[in-house]
Amino acid sequence: MEEGSLRCDVNTSLSPRDSGVWGTRTETKNVNSLRSVQRAVRFEIERQAAVLDAGGRVIQETRHFHEDTGTTTSGRSKEEAQDYRYFPEPDLVPVAPSREWVEQIRAELPELPAARWTRLQAEWSLSEADMTALRNAGALDLVAETIAAGASPSDARKWWVGELARRANEAGTDLAGLSIKPAEVARVAELVVQGALNDQLARQVLDRVLAGQGTPDEVVAARGLAVVSDEGALTAAVDQAIAANPDVAAKIRDGKVAAAGVLVGAVMRATGRQADGTRVRELILDRLS
C-alpha cells in the first residue's frame, strides 16, 4: 500500500434467492484495483449465473482476471483441501481435552475485554463515543480505579481525559506515566464536589501533585488553595468591586444582569481566583437588587 498498489483475491459465489445457502466459490487472483474488483465480481456473477441457469455446476477453482476485456479465465482447480496445501503439522500431536477441563478453564478465565467494556459502559452510563475516547486515551483502567476510589464516572472521565490527558501529551508520556494516583484524582474531584475547590484551583492542585509537592490535601494546606468560603470576606470583596465599578453597577440595577460578569471577574482577581464564582454572582445580584 505504501507504493500505491493493490493486490487482492476476489472470492465470488452465488446463492439462490432466500435460500441462505451459498454455492461453490471461485477465487479470482491478484486483482490490482478497486475498479477491477468490481469488474471481476460483475463478470463472475454473470458467468456463474449462466452456468447455474443452464443446469451446470460451478467448479471451485482459481481464475485470472484480464484487464483489457474485463473477463476471467480458468486457472487451477481447487476442488479438494489438499489443493490448498493443507496438511497436518507433524510436530503437533492431536489434543482432545475433556469437557470437565474445558469448563474448569472457562470458569477460571478473567472477564473478557468485550464483556467488561459492555458492563462498564452500562454501570457508568457513558455513551459509545465517551467509552471510545477513554480507550483511545488509555484511560479506561485509570478511570475505573478512580471511580473505585470514590469519584463519579463523569468526574473521573473529566479529569483523566481532559486535564490529565493534556498534561501527559505535553510531557510526551502516556496517562499511566503521570506521577499521580487514581486515588489522588478521586480526592481532587471530591474537594470540588464539596466546594472546597473550584475547577481552576483543582487544576493548580493537580499541577502541584504532578510536581511531587504532596497529596491533594497537603497541597491545599501548604499553598492555601482552598476556596474562599467566608461570607464576610466575600461580601467585602463584592462591595469593593461594586464601589470600583459604579457604571457597571448601574447597568445591573437597570436590569442588565449580564454585566455582572465584569464584577465577578473583579472579585475573582481580588481573591486570587479562590472564590466560588457562582456564589460571588449571587452576592453581586443580591447587593444590587
Side-chain angles (χ1 to χ4, degrees):
M1 292 301 290
E2 66 273 11
E3 298 174 356
S5 60
L6 171 71
R7 289 290 185 276
C8 68
D9 297 340
V10 180
N11 294 296
T12 312
S13 62
L14 300 187
S15 171
R17 188 183 303 276
D18 300 326
S19 72
V21 178
W22 289 105
T24 304
R25 67 181 174 88
T26 61
E27 183 181 1
T28 306
K29 304 291 289 184
N30 297 322
V31 184
N32 61 13
S33 73
L34 295 178
R35 180 171 180 270
S36 294
V37 168
Q38 181 186 34
R39 296 171 69 202
V41 169
R42 180 185 294 115
F43 180 82
E44 273 300 292
I45 289 174
E46 294 174 353
R47 185 190 69 82
Q48 292 184 24
V51 170
L52 296 173
D53 288 343
R57 182 175 70 91
V58 175
I59 299 174
Q60 182 168 296
E61 62 182 349
T62 62
R63 296 185 66 85
H64 302 297
F65 178 68
H66 303 280
E67 293 280 352
D68 53 347
T69 62
T71 62
T72 68
T73 56
S74 180
R76 182 164 58 88
S77 172
K78 283 191 171 183
E79 295 264 26
E80 305 295 335
Q82 57 266 27
D83 292 327
Y84 287 90
R85 301 297 187 266
Y86 296 152
F87 56 88
E89 167 56 60
D91 294 330
L92 296 179
V93 298
V95 177
S98 67
R99 173 54 54 186
E100 292 76 14
W101 186 35
V102 171
E103 292 304 324
Q104 177 186 345
I105 294 173
R106 190 192 311 277
E108 294 173 353
L109 286 174
E111 185 177 24
L112 297 178
R116 181 174 184 247
W117 172 283
T118 301
R119 176 179 62 81
L120 291 179
Q121 182 177 0
E123 289 180 0
W124 297 348
S125 298
L126 295 180
S127 68
E128 190 74 20
D130 288 337
M131 291 295 290
T132 300
L134 289 180
R135 180 176 60 188
N136 291 344
L140 193 62
D141 290 337
L142 293 168
V143 167
E145 292 178 42
T146 304
I147 293 171
S152 69
S154 58
D155 283 344
R157 176 187 174 279
K158 165 187 170 181
W159 292 112
W160 281 109
V161 178
E163 293 301 320
L164 291 169
R166 180 170 60 82
R167 286 161 173 75
N169 184 59
E170 292 171 350
T173 185
D174 55 21
L175 284 174
L178 293 177
S179 55
I180 189 168
K181 302 174 183 176
E184 293 172 329
V185 177
R187 179 55 179 161
V188 171
E190 182 182 10
L191 291 171
V192 173
V193 171
Q194 292 175 351
L197 295 175
N198 56 30
D199 279 2
Q200 186 162 9
L201 292 175
R203 294 185 186 96
Q204 295 182 42
V205 172
L206 289 174
D207 283 336
R208 286 171 169 77
V209 172
L210 288 167
Q213 296 180 14
T215 67
D217 290 293
E218 291 169 345
V219 169
V220 169
R223 297 285 179 172
L225 293 177
V227 166
V228 176
S229 57
D230 183 274
E231 287 287 309
L234 284 180
T235 300
V238 166
D239 289 341
Q240 182 179 1
I242 291 173
N245 298 275
D247 53 337
V248 176
K251 290 180 181 179
I252 298 172
R253 289 191 180 98
D254 290 339
K256 297 180 180 178
V257 179
V262 176
L263 299 184
V264 172
V267 173
M268 295 299 288
R269 287 191 293 275
T271 59
R273 301 195 177 279
Q274 291 181 228
D276 183 336
T278 301
R279 182 56 184 153
V280 169
R281 181 181 174 83
E282 291 173 353
L283 287 173
I284 290 171
L285 295 179
D286 182 63
R287 303 293 276 184
L288 296 176
S289 62

